[in-house]
Amino acid sequence: MAKTITAQKLYETLHTIRVGAAVCQYSLKKCEELVPLINEINAVKEEQNAVILAHSYVAPEIIYGVADFVGDSYVLSKNAMDTTANKIIFSAVRFMGETAQILNPEKEVLIPTTEDGCTLADAINANQVRELRQQFPGYTFVCYINTTAEVKAECDVCVTSANVHDVVQKISNNKIYFLPDKMMGQNLIEEMKRRGVQKDIKHFTATCYVHEEYDEEQIFKVKSEYPNVKIVSHPECNTTVCSHSDFVGSTGQMLDYMRTADASEFLMLTECGLSSRLEVEFPDKKLVGSCTLCKYMKSNSLENILRVLRNPTDQNRVILDETTRQKAHKCIEMMFKYTG
Ligand code: 13P
Ligand code: SF4
């Protein structure tokens, strides 16, 4: 029997969400509108032996209504590897769906977004990587998971925001080319210096349009009002923001930091979806400041999920050329090798 939820129960879960735009806030009436769709998705999902993986940035009604697994890119790639379902609905962005398909060639992977880009993944293609490899011979090419399958296929090791520093430290080659995120590349250089690790690190120039918005002025402003606030940022923020932060890590690590930190006020410098999750999961801790929306992640909706379960279009299917898939698989496997 598929699980069902009532509007009252959904409202009890979501009513603590405050930070962020009005789209992130929930009344009982809004929950009454959402619940029929949630219950229908859960029934269809069970009929089809499908599983829904959701990134923390998507809407709370997806996370708390229909998702089977929620997490950061690293955790979701592990979940994608472990699932026994026939069908994976990846509620996030295209590169995450591609990662699931790379790891599960025998499964059907569907993406419900209407805007499936990402300013990092869209910034570089396979030809550009091939040219860079000619320009930087002898370098190990490390790609962030926020890249397309064809870009991963041209690189040596994949990393996520949860493991980039540890993986790069373990690579025996001292010459590293990191792509595509400039901010993460610069943060990587700073972190290797802090750890006393000698590496010659070059990086590409792309940015995440959500995280590049944050600056130290916002931090100073919030700190003047809340002197005990903990500043928590994602490594896609610039090095100045990260240097003023009490903690820098993946969205999953940011959540763990908030769970364990001995503090009651936090400024989370990342997308609003994570802030919403934190407000649901830690109602006794307070989020201050604001957050920013990622239009790509927010183009996931319950309506789109139901539609791709019932009538997927070619745009919703993740289909990869087998040679590209195998090469990209090697790059992701290297990450698992380094992370154990
Ligand atoms: P995480 O892997 O930290 O969840 O990051 C994904 C992402 O797209 C951040 O903008
Ligand atoms: Fe890409 Fe930035 Fe959106 Fe993450 S928040 S999916 S990096 S555009």
Side-chain angles (χ1 to χ4, degrees):
M1 247 301 255
K3 68 172 183 182
T4 53
I5 190 170
T6 62
Q8 182 61 35
K9 185 88 195 94
L10 185 67
Y11 177 65
E12 281 166 22
T13 307
L14 303 183
H15 79 280
T16 48
I17 299 172
R18 295 270 173 275
V19 166
V23 290
C24 308
Q25 283 151 24
Y26 294 81
S27 61
L28 182 57
K29 186 167 174 293
K30 183 166 167 180
C31 293
E32 281 165 357
E33 285 161 16
L34 295 170
V35 150
L37 213 44
I38 290 175
N39 289 336
E40 193 174 346
I41 290 170
N42 286 329
V44 177
K45 198 175 71 173
E46 192 170 292
E47 256 166 56
Q48 299 189 355
N49 188 23
V51 74
I52 299 181
L53 271 53
H55 189 269
S56 295
Y57 290 167
V58 303
E61 62 266 27
I62 298 176
I63 293 180
Y64 296 101
V66 299
D68 299 286
F69 300 99
V70 181
D72 63 19
S73 312
Y74 184 69
V75 167
L76 290 173
S77 62
K78 288 255 180 204
N79 297 147
M81 229 167 30
D82 297 341
T83 180
T84 54
N86 305 326
K87 195 187 261 193
I88 298 174
I89 310 294
F90 213 126
S91 179
V93 283
R94 181 167 287 270
F95 74 81
M96 293 193 193
E98 284 190 352
T99 304
Q101 188 71 74
I102 292 164
L103 296 168
N104 294 279
E106 74 297 346
K107 294 195 171 127
E108 186 180 12
V109 179
L110 298 166
I111 47 175
T113 44
T114 49
E115 291 213 44
D116 61 8
C118 159
T119 60
L120 288 175
D122 297 344
I124 187 164
N125 62 31
N127 272 339
Q128 288 170 286
V129 182
R130 284 192 282 269
E131 279 169 21
L132 284 165
R133 291 200 83 125
Q134 292 198 339
Q135 228 178 302
F136 295 95
Y139 280 69
T140 295
F141 272 65
V142 177
C143 60
Y144 189 23
I145 199 162
N146 295 35
T147 44
T148 59
E150 63 159 46
V151 163
K152 288 185 180 77
E154 299 298 326
C155 292
D156 303 304
V157 187
C158 179
V159 293
T160 73
S161 52
N163 58 35
V164 51
H165 300 147
D166 292 344
V167 170
V168 169
Q169 183 171 353
K170 283 183 192 160
I171 294 173
S172 57
N173 189 358
N174 284 343
K175 292 177 169 180
I176 303 289
Y177 192 100
F178 178 77
L179 62 88
D181 190 356
K182 174 173 89 176
M183 310 299 198
M184 197 175 278
Q186 290 172 345
N187 282 313
L188 174 62
I189 292 171
E190 291 306 312
E191 181 61 21
M192 290 303 108
K193 275 193 215 148
R194 260 193 297 278
R195 294 183 183 195
V197 176
Q198 298 281 334
K199 296 266 182 209
D200 164 13
I201 300 176
K202 306 277 189 271
H203 57 78
F204 197 66
T205 53
T207 53
C208 160
Y209 88 108
V210 173
H211 291 89
E212 74 176 345
E213 284 302 304
Y214 298 121
D215 61 29
E216 74 268 33
E217 289 307 315
Q218 289 154 285
I219 296 180
F220 299 150
K221 200 162 164 271
V222 167
K223 274 196 162 175
S224 68
E225 217 177 314
Y226 303 95
N228 297 321
V229 67
K230 294 286 180 202
I231 312 295
V232 187
S233 58
H234 193 275
E236 291 169 15
C237 296
N238 70 45
T239 50
T240 314
V241 164
C242 292
S243 70
H244 288 295
S245 298
D246 296 282
F247 181 79
V248 182
S250 73
T251 53
Q253 292 166 336
M254 293 168 86
L255 183 141
D256 287 341
Y257 176 82
M258 188 165 172
R259 186 201 317 277
T260 51
D262 185 16
S264 55
E265 289 158 348
F266 299 82
L267 172 64
M268 290 286 167
L269 296 173
T270 193
E271 210 269 349
C272 294
L274 185 74
S275 306
S276 304
R277 248 196 100 184
L278 299 171
E279 289 183 304
V280 169
E281 291 174 34
F282 309 113
D284 298 336
K285 300 195 173 187
K286 184 175 170 179
L287 292 191
V288 298
S290 59
C291 56
T292 321
L293 296 172
C294 170
K295 66 175 176 180
Y296 306 108
M297 289 283 189
K298 290 298 192 265
S299 75
N300 286 273
S301 66
L302 292 174
E303 286 82 359
N304 291 344
I305 291 174
L306 185 59
R307 194 186 45 73
V308 301
L309 275 166
R310 290 235 160 96
N311 295 307
T313 62
D314 286 349
Q315 173 72 13
N316 301 127
R317 292 180 212 282
V318 180
I319 295 167
L320 300 173
D321 158 75
E322 183 54 16
T323 311
T324 306
R325 189 200 67 78
Q326 284 182 15
K327 285 168 75 187
H329 190 249
K330 252 174 138 178
C331 179
I332 298 174
E333 285 239 292
M334 285 303 286
M335 168 173 79
F336 292 132
K337 187 184 136 213
Y338 282 113
T339 52

